Amino acid sequence: MDMADKPFATDGPFAPDEPLTADEPFATDELLAANEAFATDESSVTGKLSTTDESFMRLALAQASLAASIGEAPIGAVVVHDGAVVASGYNRREIDADPSAHAELIALREAARALGRWRLSGCTVYVTLEPCLMCAGLMVQSRIDRCVYGAIDPKGGALGTLYQVNADERLNHSFTVTAGVLAEECSELLSGFFADLRVLSKQRRYADKQEAEGCL
């Protein structure tokens, strides 16, 4: 689908009246630059990495693309148990008008329903962007075994960048983390999305100005 055909291009939730600013976590090249450096550092991919991790991360990337197709920030997640995907989710904050509708949260809720239990021991969460404090906290509460994420989040990452919620000894559960799996692909998807959105926002403001001046 062409960017101009997506919901945010006209009247969708991601059609801002004002330019994106540096306060928007993905509005600048900071995310891409941070992840390029992260990917070239041999010590940056932490935890146990396998080709299976890459395969499941590609499924999470597919979920992220679904988010982009409806005008949402492209973040996706899958939950794996016994080698099989039991749940998936993608960012829906704007379309659902729900501040908690992050990809990981949606996937974890679906996993709990699929498995019939809130305690998700034996599960691994694959997500394209480093989880925030809310999602990292939910991973503690749901007792997952492991989280694998792609791009680091320099402004909100809670599993290694700004915080290490997974290894906080004050909490009643810990889990392992593997960071940097397909980091460049994950960060490029986000950066590209917001670059295109910025262009569309400028085009919209220009058209509004022209209409206000009676040129259209």
Side-chain angles (χ1 to χ4, degrees):
M1 180 183 293
D2 186 85
M3 290 296 289
D5 295 329
K6 294 180 182 177
F8 60 69
T10 53
D11 59 356
F14 261 102
D17 292 326
E18 298 297 330
L20 295 171
T21 69
D23 292 333
E24 167 60 59
F26 321 112
T28 70
D29 292 331
E30 181 180 356
L31 178 74
L32 187 58
N35 280 282
E36 285 177 347
F38 189 70
T40 56
D41 179 0
E42 292 184 357
S43 64
S44 65
V45 179
T46 59
K48 184 180 179 182
L49 175 65
S50 69
T51 54
T52 302
D53 284 340
E54 292 191 356
S55 297
F56 286 128
M57 186 59 73
R58 293 201 182 280
L59 295 179
L61 276 165
Q63 291 292 310
S65 295
L66 289 176
S69 73
I70 60 170
E72 293 277 359
I75 303 167
V78 298
V79 179
V80 174
H81 181 260
D82 287 342
V85 174
V86 294
S88 61
Y90 53 84
N91 189 35
R92 295 182 57 91
R93 287 194 304 176
E94 300 291 340
I95 200 166
D96 289 348
D98 181 355
S100 72
H102 290 198
E104 309 96 303
L105 187 145
I106 292 169
L108 284 166
R109 283 176 173 169
E110 184 180 319
R113 287 192 291 267
L115 296 174
R117 52 187 170 92
W118 67 265
R119 190 183 295 270
L120 299 179
S121 54
C123 289
T124 297
V125 178
Y126 291 82
V127 60
T128 56
L129 181 69
E130 182 179 1
C132 67
L133 276 169
M134 176 183 71
C135 293
L138 183 60
M139 291 176 187
V140 171
Q141 292 298 321
S142 59
R143 309 296 197 266
I144 68 166
D145 283 7
R146 182 173 175 240
C147 177
V148 180
Y149 67 82
I152 63 170
D153 185 352
K155 293 188 176 181
L159 293 184
T161 300
L162 300 182
Y163 309 94
Q164 287 186 301
V165 173
N166 62 296
D168 191 325
E169 295 180 353
R170 297 169 295 179
L171 301 178
N172 63 353
H173 177 70
S174 63
F175 55 91
T176 60
V177 169
T178 300
V181 177
L182 302 182
E184 287 190 80
E185 291 183 41
C186 293
S187 62
E188 285 171 359
L189 182 61
L190 280 162
S191 298
F193 174 85
F194 281 100
D196 290 341
L197 182 57
R198 193 177 298 109
V199 170
L200 291 171
S201 180
K202 289 180 179 178
Q203 291 173 344
R204 180 182 178 183
R205 292 198 307 277
Y206 177 76
D208 289 345
K209 180 180 179 181
Q210 293 291 94
E211 185 174 11
E213 293 175 351
C215 296
L216 294 180

